Amino acid sequence: MTAHTNAPSSLPRERKRRITAIFWINLACQIGIIATGGIVRLTKSGLGCSSWPHCEPGEFTPRYHPESGLRPFIEFGNRALTLVLLVFAILVLVATYKHLRTKGKGFVRLSWVPLILTVFQAVWGMLVVYLHLHPFFVSVHFIVSPILVASSAVLVYRLYEGNGSARLAVNRGAQFVYWPLAAVGFIVLILGTLTTGSGPHSGDANTPQRFPFNPAKIAWLHADFVWLFCGLLLGVAIVLMVTKAHARSKRALAALTIVTLLQAVIGYIQYFTGLPEALVGLHMLGAALLSAGIAWLGASLFTWHPLGEGTAPDDHSKEAQR
């Protein structure tokens, strides 16, 4: 098998490095804004800035007031990171159209997702502020972020692939188990969001709004789907091991397994210890990594290398069994 390369081989090495850095930083920022959004919620800074896009009416930047402490600065900092996301989303799009169009129409279409959804997130964030952190709008604001992380992760993965058409690089059975895994993973994220929205971390220090769910019951429903996700993950692992899948899929599987286990451990500990802010924050960061891991594993099941290069095209090829 030939080694994978960063971006198209026809580009100069320094330019390939810059393009690769843009895509990786975009992914890191998409993960990072989930973490900073968690800090906003956990420090009850959701309405630290009462207006949008200004922090306060007539004041674009926050000011310190003893009664509000650092909450306006925390909220404003999270908003400022959105500008960074917009910059790198635009850079991803420019790099794609200028240097990576040979990756195919699917890659070009996917390169629009960071920009479109980041703009959506900015506008939706305005609604969250104007509607005083209504739990539905807060939850949608969060659940869009894992989609951004997943799409950004696939874009990064594709940089290391060829410019051919997508073909399965593993046994077809892995694909049949993977798609239910991805669907259940998304349900896990939604239920996790509902669980947080039903608990004490509403994001506003003064007038908390929550979903009308029993926190314990929604938490256990969330845990049930986590166990289902673990079962499907085991199913993917069995198929990949039995069919001797290529090393990239096995590495992606191992990474996703580690993140899943850590998330499960953190989830149970935070539940039985009264939801300490530090653990809830780690759990939210873990949700972002889980999204990236699911997407990365899915991308690893395919190859875009021409025949005879990279990973073999289908589950019947001799290369795929090496």
Side-chain angles (χ1 to χ4, degrees):
M1 294 185 184
T2 59
H4 294 176
T5 57
N6 295 349
S9 58
S10 59
L11 294 177
R13 179 178 298 180
E14 191 59 36
R15 189 171 299 169
K16 286 193 294 184
R17 288 177 177 173
R18 287 198 297 269
I19 292 173
T20 303
I22 288 170
F23 279 73
W24 272 107
I25 294 173
N26 172 67
L27 173 59
C29 288
Q30 296 294 353
I31 292 173
I33 201 165
I34 293 180
T36 60
I39 293 172
V40 170
R41 169 169 284 199
L42 295 170
T43 57
K44 303 186 185 304
S45 303
L47 290 178
C49 290
S50 64
S51 184
W52 192 98
H54 293 79
C55 186
E56 300 295 340
E59 297 181 0
F60 184 76
T61 57
R63 290 188 180 184
Y64 178 78
H65 300 285
E67 61 274 13
S68 58
L70 295 177
R71 287 195 293 271
F73 295 90
I74 294 172
E75 165 64 4
F76 189 80
N78 187 59
R79 293 185 186 185
L81 184 55
T82 300
L83 296 177
V84 178
L85 291 181
L86 282 171
V87 169
F88 278 95
I90 292 171
L91 289 175
V92 163
L93 200 58
V94 170
T96 297
Y97 273 87
K98 191 172 182 180
H99 303 294
L100 304 173
R101 297 183 72 173
T102 56
K103 289 284 187 183
K105 292 181 179 179
F107 186 92
V108 172
R109 293 192 189 105
L110 190 61
S111 69
W112 278 93
V113 173
L115 179 60
I116 292 172
L117 289 187
T118 299
V119 171
F120 171 85
Q121 285 287 71
V123 175
W124 198 265
M126 174 191 67
L127 294 177
V128 169
V129 173
Y130 286 156
L131 294 173
H132 302 286
L133 302 182
H134 188 283
F136 170 77
F137 286 88
V138 173
S139 296
V140 172
H141 196 45
F142 172 81
I143 208 64
V144 171
S145 289
I147 299 174
L148 273 161
V149 170
S151 59
S152 297
V154 174
L155 284 169
V156 170
Y157 187 92
R158 284 290 313 274
L159 283 178
Y160 298 88
E161 280 287 331
N163 299 341
S165 300
R167 303 181 308 279
L168 269 178
V170 297
N171 186 282
R172 295 184 188 278
Q175 185 186 26
F176 293 146
V177 184
Y178 170 77
W179 292 115
L181 171 82
V184 171
F186 190 64
I187 294 174
V188 166
L189 292 171
I190 292 175
L191 288 173
T193 305
L194 296 179
T195 301
T196 303
S198 303
H201 301 298
S202 67
D204 181 15
N206 300 315
T207 57
Q209 299 187 61
R210 301 174 187 166
F211 285 115
F213 301 123
N214 182 293
K217 290 182 179 179
I218 194 71
W220 282 106
L221 180 61
H222 173 58
D224 290 340
F225 272 87
V226 170
W227 282 109
L228 177 57
F229 180 85
C230 291
L232 291 169
L233 187 60
L234 178 60
V236 174
I238 291 173
V239 173
L240 293 182
M241 297 302 173
V242 169
T243 58
K244 300 179 181 179
H246 57 76
R248 287 181 299 129
S249 286
K250 291 180 180 178
R251 287 195 296 268
L253 173 69
L256 180 57
T257 300
I258 292 171
V259 171
T260 301
L261 292 176
L262 288 174
Q263 276 291 82
V265 170
I266 293 172
Y268 276 107
I269 292 176
Q270 71 172 6
Y271 178 82
F272 289 111
T273 56
L275 301 175
E277 286 83 356
L279 287 181
V280 175
L282 284 176
H283 204 52
M284 294 182 72
L285 176 60
L289 297 176
L290 184 73
S291 305
I294 293 172
W296 198 276
L297 175 61
S300 76
L301 303 182
F302 296 86
T303 180
W304 288 263
H305 284 282
L307 289 172
E309 297 182 16
T311 309
D314 56 57
D315 53 329
H316 299 294
S317 105
K318 294 180 180 178
E319 289 283 341
Q321 301 302 324
R322 289 185 182 180

